[in-house]
Amino acid sequence: MKRLSTMWWPVVLGAVVVVGTGLPAGGQPLRKVIFTTDFGFNGRHAYFYVALDRGYYRQEGLDVEIVRGGGSADAIKQVGAGRALIGFADAGTLILARGNDGVPVKLLAVVYARPPHAIYALRDSGIRFPRDLEGRTVADTAGSAVPALFPVYAKWAGINKDAVRWVFTDSAALPGLLATGRVDAVGQFIVGEPLLRKRVAPKELVRLAYADVGLDYYGNGLIAAEETIRRQPDVLRAFVRATVRGMEEAFRDPSEAGRIINKYHPQIEPDVGQGETEAVRELATTPLTQQRGLGYVDRLRVWRTLQVISDVFTLRLPVRVEDIYVPGFAGRP
């Protein structure tokens, strides 16, 4: 097994990214929090904007600025370097960053409790099964978790990962490349399917989800640097509480969530925001999260995620379950 090469992860210990600003109703200064998405601004992020729009972050004493991420790897880098207090990133990519570069970042809460990764092709491409990807070209963004974890999918699907050619481009170009046949398939989280389906219509999509080959692991969640976890746990708990409230409200009314994110990002059509929120709800709602609460991180599932990654990739550094997540920030014990 070859070790996946990852970028160097600069870490600024004790970086100050929370400052007093503004005055909420209680008269106490709001604490400025920089939060980075995993990738861009999309309908799948609507619940963060529900929390922002409804004032849930302000009620927790936080002045939250949501900034655009460039993929899970980028979000982990920004958090590890102290340029963002909290990020949204893929658990598998976090394990690779921890095991190959020792980046001291951990999960606080899980949103995608099921694998979100998938590859999409057009029905008229002849791609129906994983084996049909061999000899084909798949496009995605450079920082995406879909190509990063493709060797895991290939092993479980019984195909040759080296027989698939990956090319990297801007996310906005992916639907056009697929619709015009300039690539055979694209990598995409299943929460992005509503937008992709709309962009390639009237052509039909074929979804090859990583979960379909039996993979079961954690996807994206909220992350923070170990130094922040030690020094500012109350700020992190406040952010998680407000975000979970946003999730609960968005899941109750996905249509309204779509309207809210469209207000902040007009390029995201309300129906796409609604569809992506509904897809997030499916990933986030499991028997365990219904019992323990949204965002709850289960130690056994973290261990399973670690086993899935370490079974395919050779990690340079040893990684324990305790290195990946910190309990007590989301859900009920």
Side-chain angles (χ1 to χ4, degrees), residues 164-230:
V164 179
R165 178 174 174 256
W166 286 86
V167 296
F168 300 102
T169 185
D170 181 81
S171 64
L174 293 175
L177 291 174
L178 183 62
T180 58
R182 284 179 285 173
V183 296
D184 299 301
V186 297
Q188 180 64 264
F189 279 11
I190 63 174
V191 292
E193 184 175 322
L195 175 60
L196 188 61
R197 188 189 309 117
K198 189 170 186 177
R199 292 293 180 263
V200 304
K203 297 179 180 179
E204 296 182 3
L205 289 174
V206 171
R207 177 208 289 179
L208 300 177
Y210 285 19
D212 289 346
V213 297
L215 285 166
D216 183 22
Y217 52 79
Y218 273 147
N220 283 42
L222 300 175
I223 62 169
E226 287 183 351
E227 183 73 3
T228 306
I229 294 168
R230 286 193 294 268

Side-chain angles (χ1 to χ4, degrees), residues 20-188:
T21 179
L23 288 174
Q28 296 297 318
L30 291 174
R31 291 168 290 190
K32 179 74 175 181
V33 172
I34 305 297
F35 167 73
T36 179
T37 68
D38 54 335
F39 191 86
F41 300 119
N42 297 282
R44 71 199 71 169
H45 302 128
Y47 54 92
F48 293 113
Y49 287 91
V50 171
L52 187 69
D53 191 73
R54 295 292 186 252
Y56 298 157
Y57 292 124
R58 290 184 64 88
Q59 291 171 22
E60 293 284 356
L62 307 179
D63 175 20
V64 173
E65 178 183 356
I66 304 175
V67 300
R68 178 192 299 269
S72 286
D74 177 67
I76 296 167
K77 177 182 178 180
Q78 299 305 317
V79 170
R83 290 188 284 273
L85 186 78
I86 304 171
F88 188 58
D90 174 71
T93 306
L94 187 150
I95 292 169
L96 292 171
R98 186 89 193 199
N100 290 334
D101 299 284
V103 57
V105 171
K106 293 184 177 182
L107 279 170
L108 304 175
V110 166
V111 177
Y112 301 161
R114 298 186 176 97
H117 313 86
I119 294 172
Y120 287 88
L122 297 178
R123 185 164 296 280
D124 60 14
S125 69
I127 295 175
R128 295 287 189 279
F129 305 100
R131 64 176 179 269
D132 298 327
L133 292 171
E134 294 186 348
R136 304 293 191 114
T137 299
V138 185
D140 205 338
T141 57
S144 171
V146 177
L149 299 186
F150 180 72
V152 177
Y153 173 74
K155 179 175 180 178
W156 281 66
I159 64 175
N160 179 7
K161 65 179 178 60
D162 296 321
V164 179
R165 178 174 174 256
W166 286 86
V167 296
F168 300 102
T169 185
D170 181 81
S171 64
L174 293 175
L177 291 174
L178 183 62
T180 58
R182 284 179 285 173
V183 296
D184 299 301
V186 297
Q188 180 64 264

